[in-house]
Amino acid sequence: MVIGDGAYIKKINRSLILQKIIEHQQISRANLSKITGLNKATISVQVSDLLDEDLIYETRPEHNSVGRRPILLSINQTAGYLLGVDFDYKNIQFTVADLIGNFVENNTINFDTEDYNEATSLLKEQIQSYQTKYAFSRYGLISCVIGIHGTVGKDEEINFIPKYQWSKVNLKKDLQNELDIHLIIENNANLSAFAEKVFHHPHNHNQSSHLLSIMLSSGIGAGRMIDWDMDKGCHGYTGEMGHMIISPFGPRCKCGNNGCWELYASEPILFNKLSEQLNKPHITHRDIKQLINKKDPVTHELFHEYIFYVAIGLNNVINLYNPGTVVLNSRVLKAYPNAIQKIKENMTSNVSQYDNIVLSELGRKACVIGACALGIQHFLGVSELFLSHHK
């Protein structure tokens, strides 16, 4: 039983009601009362407030059955919009979503600078353009959530971005000095893990209560969800799996150590080796698919080596965290036949325990999708979020 003042109880009830409306998409007041355990008077007052705020709307379904048609409640998806940003190396991806997770638009811009001030100015201009574009709605562009490929503290200050060599920068503060919008700065892998939880693994509690999402892209990062909480560690820097040392006498990494996992199992490593051995510059994902389909022996040999190193790191991570579901987000593994099975064949430890290893269906959009979902959760104030993935 929750004990507290009236305002606090009202806030909890509101959160629960919104959560169930999102989950069921359409639901009557009577069913809300039944599912939540709240009495009809409480439901009535809360629904009235939400209608006044344009956060929900009412509909009567068309059917031919005898009796009065129930009034169904749904989230007013166009009341406001969320901007998700994936701030990668010389590349920024933007996705706009409505309040039920429909993705309205997706854009990517490329740039050449590594200068912090220039990159920040570019990001600011893009955010302002989206604010103007979505100002027509009741709440406009509600918030902007930015995913960073580096360590982000619990105070949302960026500690370090290896690719840029940026250290101790406060992107949130620098943007807020010139922008009037709610901002959240978060690690990209954490946002990707949140996306997996919200869109693909929300209900299976046994496997998804401890969900680990590993991004194998330009680098390697991991996000961990325990129930509906991001596990960020003491200061917020957990999940930097790419800088786990798997070969102490290996090549030098930008983080300062030698033999980091991402020097063996990130996508650029595979691309560079293919380019060198095939004497083919500028290898693309399409090239890799074609080489795999043609059963090119060099490509298959390099994939065997690549999968071997993926399995080494994955075995270490599983031993550390004992996850339920492990989600691997990798375009190259998705292109390779039976990649998961081959990874498992390289994991022969009797100690490693997990429920399931799967390939992500969200791909390179996982970070921005998770960013939009986190924006929705914060705005609506719900503790759990269940959304459908709309491509």
Side-chain angles (χ1 to χ4, degrees):
M1 181 177 179
V2 178
I3 300 175
D5 61 30
Y8 178 65
I9 297 297
K10 186 175 181 180
K11 183 179 178 181
I12 291 175
N13 291 342
R14 175 190 173 97
S15 172
L16 182 58
I17 288 168
L18 279 169
Q19 181 179 311
K20 294 305 176 184
I21 295 175
I22 296 168
E23 183 178 349
H24 292 270
Q25 298 181 16
Q26 290 187 322
I27 189 169
S28 68
R29 288 169 173 80
N31 281 338
L32 264 179
S33 179
K34 187 182 301 183
I35 291 170
T36 62
L38 300 173
N39 63 51
K40 293 181 179 179
T42 298
I43 295 290
S44 179
V45 170
Q46 290 277 1
V47 165
S48 177
D49 288 344
L50 292 170
L51 288 168
D52 288 343
E53 295 171 37
D54 285 337
L55 289 178
I56 63 173
Y57 65 93
E58 298 175 319
T59 55
R60 287 187 184 272
E62 294 184 7
H63 60 80
N64 298 321
S65 62
V66 177
R68 185 178 179 182
R69 292 178 296 170
I71 297 174
L72 300 181
L73 305 170
S74 302
I75 296 294
N76 181 7
Q77 62 199 67
T78 59
Y81 295 87
L82 296 307
L83 177 62
V85 179
D86 183 352
F87 194 97
D88 203 348
Y89 183 64
K90 296 186 178 182
N91 174 284
I92 309 177
Q93 186 181 173
F94 300 88
T95 290
V96 177
D98 64 21
L99 285 180
I100 61 170
N102 290 316
F103 305 116
V104 180
E105 65 173 300
N106 187 77
N107 300 296
T108 301
I109 62 170
N110 299 303
F111 55 94
D112 292 326
T113 185
E114 293 185 3
D115 180 79
Y116 173 75
N117 291 326
E118 291 179 10
T120 302
S121 179
L122 176 64
L123 181 57
K124 179 201 71 175
E125 291 171 5
Q126 292 295 317
I127 294 171
Q128 286 174 326
S129 70
Y130 285 107
Q131 283 183 287
T132 301
K133 187 171 183 178
Y134 291 93
F136 65 88
S137 64
R138 167 72 184 267
Y139 295 97
L141 194 68
I142 295 163
S143 69
C144 174
V145 182
I146 303 173
I148 300 296
H149 292 239
T151 52
V152 179
K154 288 183 177 179
D155 58 1
E156 298 182 55
E157 184 173 341
I158 297 169
N159 181 58
F160 186 56
I161 302 180
K163 288 281 195 290
Y164 285 107
Q165 291 291 293
W166 293 348
S167 180
K168 301 295 182 182
V169 294
N170 197 329
L171 180 63
K172 181 172 182 176
K173 180 181 177 181
D174 293 338
L175 288 173
Q176 283 183 326
N177 286 336
E178 301 187 56
L179 291 172
D180 181 21
I181 189 173
H182 177 248
L183 287 170
I184 298 174
I185 310 295
E186 185 55 85
N187 172 266
N188 72 304
N190 286 341
L191 292 174
S192 299
F194 188 68
E196 297 292 346
K197 179 74 174 181
V198 168
F199 288 96
H200 281 302
H201 305 276
H203 293 292
N204 189 338
H205 183 77
N206 289 336
Q207 293 188 8
S208 69
S209 60
H210 288 72
L211 182 145
L212 181 66
S213 172
I214 300 178
M215 307 289 294
L216 299 162
S217 55
S218 59
I220 299 178
R224 186 173 178 233
M225 297 292 298
I226 301 179
D227 292 323
W228 284 95
D229 293 322
M230 293 181 189
D231 178 22
K232 299 183 182 183
C234 179
H235 303 103
Y237 304 143
T238 190
E240 291 300 317
M241 305 301 180
H243 299 288
M244 167 179 56
I245 298 169
I246 65 170
S247 179
F249 303 106
R252 187 77 168 173
C253 180
K254 283 189 175 182
C255 76
N257 285 320
N258 290 75
C260 292
W261 188 26
E262 69 176 39
L263 297 179
Y264 298 87
S266 62
E267 284 191 1
I269 298 303
L270 177 63
F271 278 53
N272 291 340
K273 287 184 177 180
L274 277 170
S275 181
E276 181 181 337
Q277 294 198 27
L278 296 175
N279 194 25
K280 180 181 173 66
H282 309 302
I283 293 281
T284 67
H285 285 92
R286 180 177 293 182
D287 293 332
I288 286 180
K289 284 185 179 181
Q290 291 175 348
L291 290 165
I292 291 171
N293 292 336
K294 291 178 181 178
K295 301 186 184 304
D296 174 69
V298 172
T299 301
H300 281 275
E301 181 62 31
L302 285 176
F303 258 95
H304 289 159
E305 179 184 290
Y306 178 74
I307 285 173
F308 171 75
Y309 282 116
V310 169
I312 286 177
L314 189 57
N315 186 81
N316 292 343
V317 172
I318 287 172
N319 283 339
L320 281 171
Y321 289 117
N322 180 217
T325 294
V326 180
V327 183
L328 299 180
N329 192 316
S330 168
R331 290 179 71 184
V332 295
L333 288 178
K334 208 164 179 62
Y336 197 72
N338 302 314
I340 294 297
Q341 182 58 38
K342 288 180 169 59
I343 288 171
K344 289 180 178 179
E345 289 170 2
N346 280 277
M347 295 172 60
T348 57
S349 171
N350 292 323
V351 177
S352 298
Q353 295 295 321
Y354 58 90
D355 289 326
N356 198 19
I357 301 176
V358 298
L359 284 172
S360 173
E361 297 296 324
L362 299 179
R364 62 185 298 269
K365 293 183 179 180
C367 173
V368 285
I369 290 172
C372 290
L374 187 62
I376 292 170
Q377 184 188 44
H378 276 250
F379 177 65
L380 295 180
V382 296
S383 58
E384 299 180 4
L385 190 63
F386 304 90
L387 298 174
S388 300
H389 180 215
H390 304 272
K391 294 183 179 180

